[in-house]
Amino acid sequence: MELLTIGAFARASRLSPKALRLYDELGLLVPARVDPRTGYRLYAPEQLEQARLVAWLRRLGMPLARIRRVRALDADRAAEEVRAYWAGVEADLAARRDLAAFLVDHLNRKDPAMSSTSAPLRLRYAAHSDPGLVRETNQDTAYAGSRLLAVADGYGDGGGPASAAAVEALKHLEADDVWAGDLLNVLQDAIERAGRAVDGVADPSGNSGTTLTAMLWTGSQLALVHVGDTRVHLLRDGELFLITHDHTLVQTMVDEGRLTPDEAAAHPQRSLLVRALGPGADATPELRLHDARPGDRYLLCSDGLSTVVPPREIRRVLTETADPDDAARTLIAQANGSGGPDNVSCVVADVTAA
């Protein structure tokens, strides 16, 4: 079969001659023959399929080293590799979108300081955690203070120490004055400190770790840092809003349109995390700012509540139970009344006039 010149092969594959020369040098797409007299690269027609695959993968932005791995795989495994690469791209894009939204909110803020002494509002809060009716130990950690609200849900053999270490690493925020201009750095430092603390106690095999969802009270806003599938709900004017996004495999599939929310709720892998704190885990946090209003009620909870108690029942309890302590205890009782299959933790915080 007649070989194609590099020019003809470039036109057919939609790769430039310059790119083809580079891929030859890297061993990614070696010509069928090089003319010994002229040095011209010549390609076989059957190489077009591989060349087009390389071109498509480059359009995706896949690094050349990873393309080399994909080319060495059979079709099914290559498809899985492309799917895994794109999931990583989308996760990175989601993290950058969250960061962009946070920066827009952050730059629009007018308050120069975030000190409790200048706060026109205050928090009334309560935190409770329960092992549930099935688990032998409680791997959740819940905390509420004048500035910090947090829930962590540990997993694996070292899950309990991991969740406790993550929350403990944030408690210094209770005492530190944080200026608005430094808020992003403070939150980033906090999640990195929590990650190091978890790595120090977790199973180094990567089989244990924790989720972490925390809110830092700034006096008139609540700054959110969130990794995993613990959740934050806001009850405002009688309506209940979910203000976090689960970092789970099934939520990713819902986002991609591959599952409906109802299918996700019953999916056997609904608890499989794509972000968490722990050895080898993706700990990229979701960061948000929320303007607080008098009458707002926030609920931070582990999935031991959200997987067994429907939103309408959570809304009813939060609406009808005035005291934060009573509300947290009642929600835990609701989870246990539904079988208590998991540890359950609740932090309830009310925004009130100072």
Side-chain angles (χ1 to χ4, degrees):
M1 185 174 293
E2 184 177 354
L3 299 180
L4 301 175
T5 66
I6 190 172
F9 192 78
R11 289 190 294 273
S13 64
R14 299 191 179 182
L15 289 168
S16 69
K18 180 179 179 180
L20 289 172
R21 286 190 288 269
L22 173 63
Y23 298 160
D24 178 16
E25 293 169 4
L26 295 175
L28 183 61
L29 192 61
V30 179
R33 188 168 74 86
V34 177
D35 188 295
R37 184 174 61 85
T38 64
Y40 286 170
R41 293 169 172 85
L42 301 170
Y43 294 83
E46 57 265 27
Q47 289 183 282
L48 279 171
E49 183 176 353
Q50 286 293 325
R52 288 166 179 157
L53 175 61
V54 171
W56 292 331
L57 293 176
R58 287 300 291 158
R59 288 185 185 182
L60 285 180
M62 184 179 287
L64 292 174
R66 193 158 184 173
I67 291 175
R68 184 181 291 110
R69 294 203 303 271
V70 171
R71 280 204 55 212
L73 300 174
D74 60 43
D76 289 342
R77 293 176 61 198
E80 287 299 320
E81 182 71 12
V82 173
R83 185 177 294 113
Y85 168 76
W86 191 247
V89 170
E90 290 187 325
D92 179 66
L93 180 61
R96 286 188 286 160
R97 183 174 59 244
D98 289 343
L99 178 58
F102 177 89
L103 286 171
V104 169
D105 283 347
H106 177 58
L107 293 170
N108 283 332
R109 302 306 176 195
K110 304 300 184 182
D111 294 346
M114 295 165 50
S115 169
S116 59
T117 59
S118 62
L121 304 171
R122 67 182 180 90
L123 294 180
R124 293 173 62 238
Y125 48 83
H128 290 288
S129 187
D130 189 89
L133 303 181
V134 175
R135 302 292 178 89
E136 294 183 358
T137 60
N138 190 357
Q139 294 187 310
D140 284 3
T141 299
Y143 175 83
S146 60
R147 288 190 175 186
L148 179 69
L149 312 170
V151 170
D153 182 357
Y155 60 87
D157 292 340
S163 70
V167 173
E168 187 66 31
L170 301 186
K171 288 185 180 178
H172 70 96
L173 297 172
E174 287 278 17
D176 294 349
D177 278 338
V178 181
W179 292 86
D182 202 32
L183 177 59
L184 181 59
N185 290 335
V186 167
L187 293 177
Q188 187 65 47
D189 289 347
I191 203 70
E192 289 175 0
R193 179 183 295 201
R196 290 193 297 270
V198 170
D199 288 347
V201 300
D203 181 352
S205 68
N207 294 324
S208 65
T210 187
T211 67
L212 177 64
T213 300
M215 302 193 83
L216 177 63
W217 176 242
T218 72
S220 59
Q221 296 121 23
L222 281 158
L224 168 73
V225 58
H226 167 63
V227 181
D229 63 351
T230 40
R231 291 182 172 183
V232 180
H233 293 270
L234 167 63
L235 182 72
R236 173 176 286 176
D237 297 329
E239 297 295 326
L240 187 68
F241 304 94
L242 177 63
I243 61 174
T244 51
H245 194 73
D246 290 349
H247 301 145
T248 60
L249 175 64
V250 296
Q251 184 60 54
T252 300
M253 295 170 73
V254 171
D255 295 342
E256 294 173 350
R258 295 160 58 193
L259 287 178
T260 67
D262 288 342
E263 290 170 336
H267 197 281
Q269 293 181 307
R270 61 185 177 276
S271 297
L272 186 60
L273 298 168
V274 295
R275 294 195 217 175
L277 300 182
D282 178 1
T284 306
E286 175 184 341
L287 301 172
R288 298 281 177 84
L289 278 176
H290 287 269
D291 287 319
R293 300 180 189 172
D296 283 351
R297 169 167 277 189
Y298 287 87
L299 166 67
L300 287 70
C301 65
S302 62
D303 66 344
L305 178 74
S306 56
T307 57
V308 295
V309 180
R312 65 180 181 278
E313 187 62 19
I314 293 174
R315 177 183 173 277
R316 184 191 66 78
V317 172
L318 292 177
T319 301
E320 296 178 0
T321 311
D323 182 69
D325 188 86
D326 291 342
R329 292 181 185 275
T330 301
L331 288 169
I332 289 174
Q334 291 278 353
N336 287 335
S338 298
D342 198 358
N343 309 148
V344 56
S345 295
C346 295
V347 172
V348 177
D350 292 340
V351 180
T352 66

